[in-house]
Amino acid sequence: MTLLLFASCGQRHKVKSSVKEFVSGQLNREVRYLDFSKVDSTRALSDSLIRVMRSKGGKNILYKNPSGTTLLHIRAQYVLEPDTVSATFYLDPASMRVVAYKEN
């Protein structure tokens, strides 16, 4: 049980780091993170839904294409002065890279 908990914490740390790297790569502003949800997985995203999220996110965002159908997701709440933003990030579990996101 302890090993499973440790693996889960390690995965959450990798996912949070990937999200922070993605956000800092897209913004030229100070970001202050308030909260991250638990990491979960989903198979509910089709290629067309990913394309829609990418198009709403902006044309200049570089994504790595997902290698499988199951994606990890995590919700982050952060401050971009003067606003507080909540967004869900979807990551490829093999590369731990963000493949899509949506503002909540």
Side-chain angles (χ1 to χ4, degrees):
M1 183 69 157
T2 304
L3 185 58
L4 182 60
L5 179 63
F6 181 71
S8 174
C9 290
Q11 181 185 51
R12 185 170 188 256
H13 177 73
K14 287 179 185 177
V15 168
K16 285 172 53 175
S17 294
S18 293
V19 167
K20 288 178 179 182
E21 182 180 321
F22 176 80
V23 171
S24 68
Q26 302 305 316
L27 302 173
N28 293 321
R29 298 170 52 183
E30 182 70 27
V31 178
R32 184 170 50 92
Y33 293 91
L34 300 174
D35 188 39
F36 283 92
S37 70
K38 294 186 333 184
V39 175
D40 204 350
S41 61
T42 183
R43 297 181 73 121
L45 292 182
S46 64
D47 289 341
S48 60
L49 282 173
I50 291 173
R51 281 193 296 275
V52 168
M53 282 190 276
R54 287 178 175 182
S55 69
K56 289 183 178 182
K59 302 279 188 226
N60 297 326
I61 297 176
L62 299 175
Y63 293 99
K64 182 166 176 68
N65 288 328
S67 64
T69 57
T70 300
L71 299 174
L72 300 176
H73 64 91
I74 190 169
R75 190 180 64 257
Q77 187 176 28
Y78 50 96
V79 176
L80 292 172
E81 291 295 339
D83 300 317
T84 299
V85 179
S86 177
T88 302
F89 296 87
Y90 298 90
L91 297 91
D92 176 4
S95 66
M96 288 295 181
R97 291 184 174 257
V98 173
V99 297
Y101 81 96
K102 66 174 182 166
E103 286 190 7
N104 299 331

